[in-house]
Amino acid sequence: MVKNIIIALIIISISGCNSSQTNKKTSVTFVDTTKTVASDSLYSNKQEDAINDKQREINEQEIEISIKNESDYSEKFIEGLKKLREEKITLSDSLLILNDKDTIHFPGTPKIGRRITLTGKKDNLAIAVTIKRLNYTTIDYKIEMIEFGKSSHIQNGKADIASSFYFGDESDESDKTGVSYFVTEFSDLRENDCYTYIRVGYEEETSPYLLGKIIKNCNGKLLDIDLDNFSTLIEK
């Protein structure tokens, strides 16, 4: 009887050892596999990043930009040209020439060197925008916003037309006549997602004066301005 019990205990002990060794082997195999997958994934990501960096470098090298007079255009505008999908870009006076084939005229409104002021009023808020065209791409501007009896906001800066301005014409509608007119848009984008867009053009059929709209945030205590919540600005 005692002998049978001893034999049974020996069998149980051997089985337990075998089971423990099997569990240890399974655990080690699982950990090793995880490390291998993570390593392969990291290597793959690095390869992809390297390929993307190389492709961006190739794209920048392929763009040939020729400029007759750099002072006719802002640095910001020229940098933007490098991101366009063109092989060759030529800037010559008021012309932008693509790949020696397509010729685009820079917008002529407002005229270079001319200083103008546009004003508008809605409810208790009055806005005056003074601009001067510096060259083919850039204006110098001052925006004055006054809400009578409450607050005011003044901002000065420079704004540029988009490097891709030739992709399509922009247009606004006059609040007074309901007639649409083509506009030139200048933008000034700043830190903290602050933006200013100044849009100017002529409604030639009914008015000899320059018209304008602004889209602007970061106005202190004053509301953000968009195309719909403030009236058309008119040249004084």
Side-chain angles (χ1 to χ4, degrees):
M1 181 67 176
V2 174
K3 183 177 181 180
N4 291 338
I5 292 173
I6 293 172
I7 293 172
L9 289 174
I10 293 171
I11 293 172
I12 292 171
S13 176
I14 294 172
S15 298
C17 291
N18 289 340
S19 175
S20 176
Q21 290 176 356
T22 301
N23 289 339
K24 287 181 181 179
K25 288 181 180 179
T26 302
S27 176
V28 171
T29 302
F30 175 77
V31 172
D32 288 343
T33 302
T34 303
K35 289 181 179 180
T36 302
V37 171
S39 177
D40 289 345
S41 176
L42 181 61
Y43 178 72
S44 177
N45 289 339
K46 287 183 177 180
Q47 275 190 320
E48 185 176 349
D49 290 341
I51 292 172
N52 290 337
D53 290 341
K54 187 64 177 178
Q55 186 61 51
R56 281 193 291 269
E57 182 181 340
I58 292 173
N59 289 341
E60 290 182 0
Q61 290 177 348
E62 288 178 349
I63 299 174
E64 178 185 345
I65 299 178
S66 176
I67 304 172
K68 179 180 179 180
N69 185 355
E70 290 191 6
S71 64
D72 285 339
Y73 323 94
S74 71
E75 292 183 9
K76 190 175 182 180
F77 179 84
I78 295 172
E79 284 300 312
L81 293 178
K82 297 177 182 179
K83 300 176 182 179
L84 301 178
R85 295 178 177 276
E86 306 290 349
E87 293 183 2
K88 182 178 181 181
I89 298 175
T90 302
L91 297 174
S92 179
D93 300 326
S94 64
L95 302 179
L96 185 152
I97 305 169
L98 302 176
N99 307 313
D100 293 329
K101 295 178 181 179
D102 300 321
T103 300
I104 302 104
H105 287 267
F106 280 92
T109 304
K111 293 182 179 179
I112 294 177
R114 182 185 174 194
R115 184 182 298 275
I116 58 174
T117 299
L118 303 99
T119 62
K121 182 178 180 297
K122 184 175 181 181
D123 300 328
N124 291 325
L125 180 61
I127 297 178
V129 180
T130 301
I131 61 176
K132 180 181 179 181
R133 184 86 174 260
L134 302 178
N135 52 30
Y136 293 112
T137 63
T138 311
I139 60 171
D140 186 83
Y141 74 86
K142 179 180 181 180
I143 296 177
E144 301 171 272
M145 305 174 63
I146 300 175
E147 188 171 14
F148 297 107
K150 291 187 178 181
S151 185
S152 63
H153 174 76
I154 298 176
Q155 180 173 308
N156 297 276
K158 290 180 173 58
D160 302 284
I161 64 172
S163 302
S164 58
F165 73 92
Y166 57 87
F167 283 177
D169 293 324
E170 298 278 352
S171 65
D172 287 333
E173 183 178 292
S174 171
D175 296 336
K176 294 184 177 296
T177 64
V179 176
S180 294
Y181 58 96
F182 292 115
V183 299
T184 306
E185 182 179 81
F186 300 86
S187 64
D188 180 13
L189 307 180
R190 302 188 176 189
E191 295 180 351
N192 301 319
D193 296 323
C194 293
Y195 56 78
T196 299
Y197 296 90
I198 301 173
R199 299 160 65 94
V200 293
Y202 282 105
E203 184 199 330
E204 297 179 356
E205 295 182 6
T206 59
S207 174
Y209 302 107
L210 193 66
L211 304 180
K213 286 271 194 178
I214 66 170
I215 306 170
K216 188 179 184 315
N217 67 352
C218 299
N219 301 324
K221 296 181 180 180
L222 302 178
L223 79 163
D224 295 349
I225 304 298
D226 58 36
L227 294 177
D228 299 320
N229 68 358
F230 198 80
S231 56
T232 302
L233 303 170
I234 302 175
E235 182 182 357
K236 292 178 62 175

